[in-house]
Amino acid sequence: MHSRRLFLKNALLAGAAVLTGADRWRHWLPLPEDMNDSSVRWPAVIATWDNRKATAAAGAILSAGGRALDAVEAGARVAEADPNDTSVGYGGLPDRDGNVTLDACIMDEFGNAGSVTYLQHIKHPISVARRVMEKTPHVILSGDGALEFALSEGFSKENLLTDEARRAWEAWKIKSEYKPVINSERHDTIGIIAIDAQRRLSGACSTSGMAFKMRGRVGDSPIIGAGLFVDNEVGAATATGLGELVLKTLGTFLIVEEMRRGKHPQKAVEIAIRRIAQKYPKHARENQVGYIALDRRGRHGAFSLQPGFNYALFQGGQNRVFEAASLWKR
Ligand code: ASP
């Protein structure tokens, strides 16, 4: 008896040595309701659009026991490096003056956040956002300051405007009409959220923003609570589509708060989409916004204004793409 008590005491002390702060216990303890829920499955990773290459890269990290933060960064980097993805990183469509300007943000299981806005010439804005989070006292760095910081961190300056994107911009200039395209090519901004084997939640979001936007325009994607929000006690959500509608409703913060009040992630994303339709009915009819969410039980949700939004889900060793339900049926 004595030795058992001693063993337990030592085990607790060993635990305390690695877990500093009461909050960290929460990452490890299953909630009582989880025990009876057969749908509980983690690790899991979900991404906007058919970003299966990204969820595969993230899923490989999670399957090897890695951290959700590393997984979402790796996933976002896949989309950023893909020249065929015309709304993220390299190959992204430029603003109306021909500049490729990038927005990205990242959040970890402790609620730390980092972001870059209006960053030019750097292929992996998500990794710069992570450095902002980990190496500066700030959350957001913007424009030239973000670029200077990236260069000081060893990132190299590159031309991100591909020939294809330049041709698309030249064709656009003939009419010069700013008209966001719904579901443009069905691969768009990457928002990616993950829960790892230790139930740590993280998220990342990266975009070149709306094609042919005004110079200086920043969208929802690098704004914490708009394009991305993570709360390890509850869940995480991320967005794609017309950033102005997401910004004006702080969509991902709303989704996480609805999950905090006990809503299933599917219900929570539907509430956030309906909020846009209530507040901005005209814009909601004419534009696309899509949300995805994941809670700390590994349950997910996805919903959009317009049909045509899809998402990739890596869970239970399978990497699949699904069509999201939508508010409008068309
Ligand atoms: N949400 C992004 C933005 O407004 C664009 C997108 O998701 O397509 O910049």
Side-chain angles (χ1 to χ4, degrees):
M1 190 63 189
H2 173 74
S3 64
R4 185 167 176 270
R5 221 178 277 142
L6 198 66
F7 169 78
L8 282 175
K9 193 174 158 218
N10 284 344
L12 282 172
L13 283 175
V18 285
L19 300 168
T20 58
D23 273 356
R24 299 195 184 182
W25 286 101
R26 297 205 195 126
H27 306 146
W28 302 79
L29 299 176
L31 297 172
E33 68 266 25
D34 294 345
M35 309 305 244
N36 303 320
D37 186 345
S38 59
S39 67
V40 171
R41 284 189 303 161
W42 59 84
V45 53
I46 184 170
T48 52
W49 307 105
D50 184 1
N51 271 304
R52 268 177 291 178
K53 285 187 196 145
T55 48
I61 291 175
L62 297 181
S63 302
R67 184 179 171 196
L69 181 68
D70 295 325
V72 295
E73 181 190 8
R77 287 174 65 97
V78 170
E80 288 176 342
D82 182 353
N84 298 319
D85 194 326
T86 56
S87 59
V88 181
Y90 179 58
L93 291 171
D95 66 13
R96 56 186 60 178
D97 301 314
N99 309 294
V100 179
T101 70
L102 307 174
D103 295 337
C105 75
I106 195 159
M107 251 185 122
D108 72 8
E109 70 271 28
F110 303 113
N112 296 315
S115 158
V116 288
T117 75
Y118 198 72
L119 175 63
Q120 290 178 258
H121 313 302
I122 302 289
K123 199 173 196 169
H124 289 298
I126 200 64
S127 297
V128 185
R130 181 168 177 176
R131 301 278 175 98
V132 172
M133 173 173 85
E134 292 180 338
K135 294 197 161 179
T136 81
H138 306 303
V139 172
I140 305 179
L141 289 182
S142 189
D144 290 347
L147 176 60
E148 269 169 37
F149 172 70
L151 297 176
S152 76
E153 285 292 310
F155 291 83
S156 46
K157 206 167 169 177
E158 299 179 45
N159 172 30
L160 301 179
L161 187 66
T162 58
D163 289 344
E164 205 191 333
R166 180 191 299 279
R167 277 196 294 275
W169 171 58
E170 271 155 10
W172 174 82
K173 278 197 294 184
I174 297 167
K175 277 195 176 170
S176 296
E177 200 185 12
Y178 178 68
K179 202 169 182 306
V181 180
I182 292 174
N183 302 330
S184 76
E185 298 172 62
R186 282 174 51 106
H187 48 74
D188 217 297
T189 297
I190 182 163
I192 179 166
I193 48 188
I195 183 167
D196 65 29
Q198 294 177 31
R199 301 188 81 185
R200 295 171 296 200
L201 278 157
S202 289
C205 190
S206 183
T207 188
S208 52
M210 302 306 292
F212 317 126
K213 60 197 175 184
M214 285 177 71
R215 182 158 169 76
R217 183 261 189 191
V218 169
D220 61 311
S221 305
I223 305 302
I224 303 301
L228 174 74
F229 198 68
V230 177
D231 184 329
N232 208 73
E233 287 176 34
V234 179
T238 188
T240 183
L242 189 67
E244 283 72 11
L245 291 176
V246 178
L247 280 165
K248 288 188 284 192
T249 51
L250 281 186
T252 60
F253 183 71
L254 173 62
I255 293 165
V256 171
E257 290 308 297
E258 288 297 335
M259 292 194 287
R260 191 190 307 282
R261 282 194 276 271
K263 299 281 189 328
H264 188 284
Q266 183 58 35
K267 186 78 191 146
V269 288
E270 290 178 22
I271 289 170
I273 287 290
R274 284 181 208 285
R275 177 71 59 87
I276 294 173
Q278 278 158 14
K279 296 280 179 190
Y280 306 99
K282 182 174 177 310
H283 289 291
R285 274 278 171 203
E286 292 165 0
N287 292 285
Q288 177 65 305
V289 170
Y291 288 122
I292 55 173
L294 189 65
D295 72 5
R296 70 181 304 274
R297 300 158 77 179
R299 303 179 305 178
H300 77 278
F303 201 61
S304 56
L305 284 169
Q306 315 289 341
F309 175 49
N310 59 4
Y311 61 98
L313 179 70
F314 178 95
Q315 195 167 38
Q318 287 184 300
N319 193 28
R320 290 181 291 177
V321 65
F322 296 95
E323 250 353 90
S326 59
L327 184 60
W328 313 129
K329 304 299 169 207
R330 254 184 214 283

